[in-house]
Amino acid sequence: MAVSGMGLVALCPSLPSLTYPVAALCVVAVVGVCRRDLSWPLLAGLLLLCCCRGILWGDWQLQNRVAASLEGADMVLEGYVDGLPERQPRLQRFNFQVRSARRADTGAEVAFPAKVRLSHYIEPGVATLPPLVAGGESWRLLVRVKRPYGFVNPGGFDYELWLLNRGIGATGYVRQLIAPLAPVGGAAALHRWREKIRQRFFQDFQELGQGRVLGVLLALTLGDKSYIDSSARDAIRESGLSHLLAISGLHISVVAAFGFLLGRHLGGVLSLAWPLALFGPRVGVAGGVALAGSYSLLSGFGIPAQRAMIMLLVWSAWYLSNRRFSAWDSWSLALLAVLWLQPLALLEAGFWFSFAAVASLIHLSGKNYSAAWGKWALLVFLQVGLFLLLGVLQVFWGLGLNPWSPLINLVAIPFVSLLVVPLALLATLAVLILPPLAAPLLWLVQLPLAAFWRGLDGLAAVGGLAYFVPLLPLSLPALLVALLGIALLLSPLPAAMRAMGVAAALVAGAAGQAVERDTRVTVLDVGQGLAVVVESGGEVLLYDTGPRFSARFDAGRAVLLPYFSHRAIRKLDTLVVSHGDSDHSGGYSSVVSTTAVQQLLLGEVFDGLVARQSDSGNNSGDFCNRDRTLLLGRVVVHIIGLGQDRWPQNPNNRSCVLLLEVDGHRLLLPGDIEHQREQLLLQHPLLQAPVAVMLVPHHGSQTSSTRAWVERLRPHWAVVSAGYRNRYKHPHADVLQRYRQVGSQLLCSSDSGALTFIFEPSGQLRLQRYRQQVARYWRYRQPQACPP
């Protein structure tokens, strides 16, 4: 009932009124009292009560967002750094707890969100470590913020939901560090201690030359994964060990077990005067909760740690209440408590992984095994059961699998949880209490961590990192069938019933999710950049790969690869990189490192151009400097070249220009061309008639879209791919006005999310705006870039 109630609110396109569920709750209460039957009214009342809680929580979070009138304004904020700043080359990213806010121009104090997420760009030549902004420090900052906003694409990560779940009401960047302020206590003091530990770890491990070891140590103790580079992250993910770096149920339960043992022994001492039955177990439970809570606070008390602590507290309260203990009752109450505190947790994969793993452990650990092989059989059976259950969930959430992960985890889990984590926590304790002991303990802890990495390197050498992404994502009905099959397989039913479970799971896996193989052109929402996917007859063309946002984050990894997984795209027949600007080529490396490319077309050579995977073995790219025609399913692709004797000095004018023809509809992809190239193109015989769809050149810049260009092509839909509140102020108002004057319908990816043009077999052209198609109440829906 709790999941249903919270889910109903979570799927609403706009936040519903509280009036209706409250009225329904009153009616249910009256009917239950009058009929003296409280069985169904209790269930209905719980459903409605959870709906009310979801609405109240959502309204509270939305009220915490920055006002639209403050977007883009310079603000002076005072507060402290909440947590540890994330480390990236030339960049710090951190949460800031706001204590006061005022406008920089008028000095007037304004209502402001309690927590904001800021980026601090460090000038070249300035040392990045130690951080210019450290955890727990109090500062007065000059910032510029905007409302929570994220890309919205099929299969993509919902950044706006992530921010809402963490109570972050604005994002922005630091314009100036005005002055440090006097330190404050409470949570800020805790984060200063965490920063002190991080700096000590960094200092000692730099001397040992163990960069990868440092990253894992910080992740296991402080919850800071920013020191793990992308290649190390990939190795851990492909081995199926990502859960070992998350401070969640696994590590917190191990620490709680150590605390229980310590408390139990303390209870034994107290039992010299009082009965052991009274003090022993109860002091043990208190010790487990205290030690696990301390570890959670040390790690920053992230959402996975919060879930684990709620489960532990619910179990402890149930145990100490002297009631008959039921693991399933404790599990159910913990799930209800987590959803009550954070209703939208059910839309995050980690929530389902946590509770599914615990449910699987409860079920499987209750089985009887032979005395000789009981413990080993239990360990193996637990790993296989967890792999099957969590593997199905991973496929549903678009994540990959490693078939060797049960065997890898069988060794890695006890190694990390029982050896590495205790040593790491002892070293952390020494940094705070006994600094002279910190150096030898840190030297000691790096030995098993180095062995951990040697093991991963060995697995990679022998093919143990056999990571693969399933061919098709699972639909919700297929997921339910697969879960039913796994439940039958792991149940104590006869062999025939278990065989039916295997068959159900295989059928669900084979069915997957039906992916429409119609002809479509999708302009993905990549911010200030461009990425267009053309699909027809099982063949795929990608035009540009989106921008690179930082050294570790680009549109290829964040947007394109999730979209490919969602659409079951395994290879690209043609990849076109229109020109070398990073907002068009920034995701190239991420795409070609994981996706086979048959043909590569370039506007120019650019930095980061690397060899790509190709079934044909031909890794050389070709240039768009001559006219040619390609056939992609039902799509005729005309490449309009520069001409053999032309090579513009302006890189934008070297852009590959593509004209697509499908069933009489024409779509033009001109890249970043400017006035000079537009004049040349207007002389081309293929561009003497209007087009149905056109990407507005250069994101709507004033250097493009001349009046002659717009009046000749007169697109029915003019699409602008530009970032929300981007620093270039694209698209320009004069450019938009030119398209309006010829009757074009303007579309902006920042307003609409991914834009998909679907070519129906009947010859009709249909448009889907993904932000409106999959509307949620927390998503930005007030168009500003392309107002009507």
Side-chain angles (χ1 to χ4, degrees), residues 84-162:
L84 300 178
E86 295 178 12
R87 171 188 177 269
Q88 295 185 25
R90 304 303 173 195
L91 172 67
Q92 288 182 301
R93 186 168 284 120
F94 57 92
N95 295 337
F96 193 72
Q97 198 73 28
V98 179
R99 303 179 68 188
S100 68
R102 55 187 174 87
R103 295 186 65 105
D105 51 359
T106 64
E109 289 198 12
V110 295
F112 208 75
K115 185 187 294 186
V116 298
R117 187 163 178 82
L118 300 174
S119 298
H120 179 211
Y121 297 93
I122 303 169
E123 298 178 2
V126 178
T128 59
L129 289 169
L132 295 179
V133 173
E137 288 184 342
S138 297
W139 281 92
R140 181 181 296 119
L141 306 175
L142 179 65
V143 306
R144 187 169 290 178
V145 299
K146 62 182 179 183
R147 303 181 74 191
Y149 177 87
F151 307 143
V152 180
N153 296 286
F157 176 68
D158 194 337
Y159 184 55
E160 294 176 46
L161 172 64
W162 187 89

Side-chain angles (χ1 to χ4, degrees), residues 724-735:
Y724 175 64
R725 300 192 67 87
N726 63 85
R727 59 176 176 164
Y728 306 103
K729 302 188 184 301
H730 292 161
H732 197 277
D734 292 345
V735 171

